């Protein structure tokens, strides 16, 4: 029996990780634009702080969700990098 790496699976895992990171960056950029728009529309400091605080919870949730997906993708990639035995 010989150990081997399934190169297609490894490259697929790397591609999934890259797509996730690209999507996460796009989400962060969109959220930043939303914050700027809301900041410009605020009529007072009080409204600005209230709106930004509301967005803060969504930001934390997005970071948490992105991180959970990132961990799963890395764990899958590390499993794919483990040599497998041929039958």
């Amino acid at each position: 029996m010989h150990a081997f790496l399934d190169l297609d699976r490894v490259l697929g895992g790397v591609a999934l990780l890259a797509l996730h990171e690209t999507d996460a960056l796009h989400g962060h950029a969109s959220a930043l634009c939303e914050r700027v728009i809301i900041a410009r529309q605020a009529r007072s400091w009080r409204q600005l702080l209230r709106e930004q605080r509301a967005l803060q919870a969504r930001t934390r949730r997005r970071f948490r969700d992105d991180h959970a997906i990132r961990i799963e993708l890395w764990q899958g990639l590390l499993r794919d990098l483990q040599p497998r035995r041929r039958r």
Side-chain angles (χ1 to χ4, degrees), residues 27-46:
H28 297 318
S30 296
L32 180 62
C33 289
E34 181 182 12
R35 282 181 179 264
V36 170
I37 289 169
I38 288 173
R40 286 182 179 165
Q41 293 173 347
R43 296 179 184 195
S44 68
W45 284 103
R46 189 174 280 178

Side-chain angles (χ1 to χ4, degrees), residues 1 5 17-18 20-21 23 25-26 38 41 64 82:
M1 287 190 193
L5 287 177
L17 191 57
H20 169 71
E21 293 302 329
D23 187 47
L25 287 173
H26 181 265
I38 288 173
Q41 293 173 347
R64 185 190 62 229
Q82 297 298 318

Side-chain angles (χ1 to χ4, degrees), residues 3 74 80 82:
W74 273 108
D80 291 343
Q82 297 298 318

